[in-house]
Amino acid sequence: MKVRTRFAPSPTGNVHIGNMRAAIYNWLFARHHGGDFLLRVEDTDRERSTPEAIQTLLDAMAWFKLDVDEEPLYQSTRMEAHLEAAELLLSKGMAYKEDKGGKGQGECIIFKMPGNDTSFEDGIKGTLSKAAENMQDFVIVRSNGTPVFHLANVLDDIEQGVTHVIRGDDHIENTYRHIALYQALGADVPNFAHLPMIVNAQGKPYSKRDGDAFVGDFREKGFLGDALFNYLALLGWSPGDDREVMTRDEMVEAFELARCQSSAAQVDLRKLTWMNGEYMLKLPLEDFEAAFFQELEKAGIEADPEYAKQVFGLIRERVKTVADIAPMIGYFFNDDYEYDPKAVRKKLQKDGVADTLAQVKGIFESLETFDEAGTDKALHNFVESSGLGFGAVMAPVRIAVSGVQSGPDLFPLLAVLGRDRVLERICRTIEQFLS
Ligand code: GLU
């Protein structure tokens, strides 16, 4: 039997990371078993399933490089087949019509539960069962003649030959009903696996209120699709060793439903940010550099490409997401950078700092070559001979040339800025704050 899985989202205009994780697990499972991965767009809610909402979904899949093996099936095109099946169930006495509420609004079609206890082997949660007395008959066609989710979902899974249904555990209750439907329709019941919810720190379903929850949010903030893919893959699944940053091939190779955890998974945005940084460093240099130049352009910075490349080399390892770049680089390209008021107050406007900076300026002027090694040696000598603390020298120098207290290592930073900028900035800082 060839494995066939599917992702069956209902487009709403936003794609929640929990949905995407289900897509990723279905994809990994299919690829691991050399099977097919399919897409079914459950677009029967015509108000929400706008062309834009569907496009957002397709974009998210493309961003995660979730390739499908067949053309997507659009559920809205299948209404006739769904209604025919309901008629068939009616004719077999497995469903009945009822005017719900007796309001004369027309009759809906109701599926008759067969009255037996149901249990199934869940690929993640083990054996799950429900007693007959807790399962009620349910509507499969509304009184306005439209098929209900349960009927459409099951029929389309049959149509697409789906062998494994991997979806959120909010669907477990539905699954009992779906199994009865498969049986009534004379179809093979697929294998089910229900993924635990993604939750916030309070154990409640993770939502927009807890932070970024939609794929588009992460994309806008400069996260990489590959990094978010890896992060989501590990949010509820583990390869069984301590690997975290993994290639796609490694994930496909290692993926097993049995290694999915059955309890809720908690989002940790710090970990995602860390992972994204790892992926940024793995980017081919030219891609990373291209992203850097794109950010320059967005920020309206026109710079000498050679100088810009040196700046890039300096900040590269500090960038966790593309969105980090712009705030890191302002002072490299703009001489009118702002000074952090707290840094000025605490580190600059202190006795002796004017004198220290003036002496450093003199040392830098007389240096034969103004490079990393040269400034490093000269400032260390100065620290020693002056008896000043290391921080009492380095912090004012850094703030003078950049306006802020933290950033790349000081000596490479000075070398990239170059002697002219550094001297000019030190002078200006003394004038502005210390005279
Ligand atoms: N459209 C349903 C959802 O997004 C499908 C669930 C499923 O069977 O995968 O929740």
Side-chain angles (χ1 to χ4, degrees):
M1 175 193 68
K2 189 174 193 188
V3 163
R4 283 168 72 85
T5 65
R6 80 334 186 242
F7 176 41
S10 316
T12 60
N14 285 311
V15 188
H16 192 276
I17 51 171
N19 268 331
M20 226 46 219
R21 185 189 54 159
I24 289 170
Y25 284 22
N26 277 288
W27 184 88
L28 285 171
F29 186 80
R31 295 291 169 256
H32 178 87
H33 290 282
D36 293 331
F37 172 68
L38 314 170
L39 172 63
R40 177 169 74 248
V41 184
E42 299 209 327
D43 58 345
T44 51
D45 181 340
R46 301 308 285 165
E47 259 169 46
R48 303 180 89 186
S49 301
T50 59
E52 297 78 49
I54 292 172
Q55 194 54 48
T56 304
L57 179 77
L58 298 176
D59 289 346
M61 292 192 60
W63 191 52
F64 281 119
K65 302 186 195 122
L66 293 174
D67 55 323
V68 293
D69 296 292
E70 287 171 14
E71 284 299 308
L73 179 66
Y74 287 85
Q75 189 156 68
S76 58
T77 63
R78 298 252 311 141
M79 186 149 145
E80 220 167 294
H82 300 157
L83 295 178
E84 259 171 40
E87 290 299 330
L88 181 76
L89 292 172
L90 274 176
S91 71
K92 288 188 173 169
M94 293 167 152
Y96 56 93
K97 287 188 174 177
E98 195 177 281
D99 182 354
K100 271 239 171 191
K103 292 188 192 124
Q105 287 173 343
E107 293 183 311
C108 46
I109 303 177
I110 297 177
F111 179 73
K112 202 192 291 176
M113 283 301 275
N116 46 275
D117 299 345
T118 305
S119 70
F120 67 95
E121 252 336 277
D122 187 282
I124 295 172
K125 309 220 174 215
T127 311
L128 296 177
S129 5
K130 194 159 170 131
E133 70 232 42
N134 296 325
M135 294 188 280
Q136 271 81 47
D137 299 352
F138 59 93
V139 176
I140 51 176
V141 179
R142 297 181 192 88
S143 56
N144 67 6
T146 58
V148 166
F149 161 72
H150 305 295
L151 182 68
N153 184 267
V154 166
L155 282 167
D156 290 353
D157 276 338
I158 296 171
E159 172 72 13
Q160 291 190 287
V162 171
T163 60
H164 292 75
V165 174
I166 304 169
R167 60 185 174 190
D169 65 7
D170 49 335
H171 283 289
I172 289 180
E173 287 304 313
N174 294 333
T175 295
Y176 295 111
R177 295 165 167 175
H178 294 184
I179 289 172
L181 273 174
Y182 280 103
Q183 287 165 343
L185 292 160
D188 290 338
V189 179
N191 298 287
F192 287 97
H194 289 94
L195 298 168
M197 290 284 100
I198 296 181
V199 295
N200 63 16
Q202 287 72 43
K204 296 264 159 31
Y206 183 83
S207 80
K208 189 77 197 147
R209 271 175 311 229
D210 301 304
D212 292 324
F214 301 130
V215 172
D217 301 333
F218 293 97
R219 210 174 159 170
E220 264 168 41
K221 291 214 166 141
F223 284 88
L224 299 170
D226 284 338
L228 188 55
F229 180 107
N230 191 160
Y231 176 75
L232 290 175
L234 292 182
L235 197 55
W237 167 73
S238 132
D241 47 43
D242 54 11
R243 278 180 296 171
E244 292 199 301
V245 177
M246 295 172 76
T247 65
R248 255 177 217 239
D249 286 348
E250 285 168 348
M251 286 186 261
V252 165
E253 159 90 38
F255 191 81
E256 269 177 65
L257 287 175
R259 291 213 150 274
C260 291
Q261 71 192 47
S262 59
S263 55
Q266 203 169 313
V267 175
D268 179 352
L269 293 176
R270 290 218 331 260
K271 180 162 175 187
L272 168 61
T273 304
W274 165 78
M275 188 169 274
N276 202 72
E278 297 295 301
Y279 272 84
M280 297 289 294
L281 289 176
K282 278 179 192 242
L283 276 184
L285 198 60
E286 33 324 340
D287 292 0
F288 197 168
E289 206 172 85
F292 174 79
F293 275 95
Q294 225 170 37
E295 289 302 302
L296 283 189
E297 215 181 297
K298 268 203 240 159
I301 295 169
E302 276 179 41
D304 167 46
E306 269 317 304
Y307 176 59
K309 268 192 192 178
Q310 287 178 26
V311 173
F312 170 67
L314 207 53
I315 63 154
R316 189 168 106 82
E317 291 193 11
R318 302 171 56 83
V319 171
K320 296 288 177 253
T321 74
V322 173
D324 289 344
I325 294 175
M328 273 184 197
I329 58 173
Y331 63 81
F332 286 102
F333 301 100
N334 173 12
D335 290 322
D336 275 331
Y337 48 90
E338 287 186 16
Y339 289 79
D340 168 12
K342 193 169 144 206
V344 169
R345 220 172 44 243
K346 290 198 149 170
K347 301 271 158 77
L348 221 47
Q349 291 173 324
K350 285 172 50 172
D351 288 349
V353 169
D355 188 42
T356 305
L357 283 180
Q359 292 199 55
V360 169
K361 183 177 158 260
I363 293 169
F364 283 172
E365 272 165 348
S366 62
L367 267 184
E368 209 161 298
T369 40
F370 190 85
D371 58 10
E372 186 181 331
T375 53
D376 187 338
K377 192 157 169 246
L379 284 199
H380 276 92
N381 287 344
F382 175 59
V383 165
E384 230 167 80
S385 63
S386 65
L388 290 165
F390 189 76
V393 175
M394 305 306 165
V397 172
R398 176 186 290 282
I399 296 164
V401 301
S402 71
V404 286
Q405 290 192 68
S406 62
D409 289 342
L410 182 61
F411 303 111
L413 167 67
L414 293 171
V416 168
L417 286 171
R419 177 156 24 202
D420 291 347
R421 270 194 205 88
V422 167
L423 292 179
E424 198 276 319
R425 290 178 177 199
I426 291 178
C427 279
R428 198 201 40 207
T429 304
I430 295 174
E431 268 167 39
Q432 198 170 329
F433 297 103
L434 302 170
S435 54

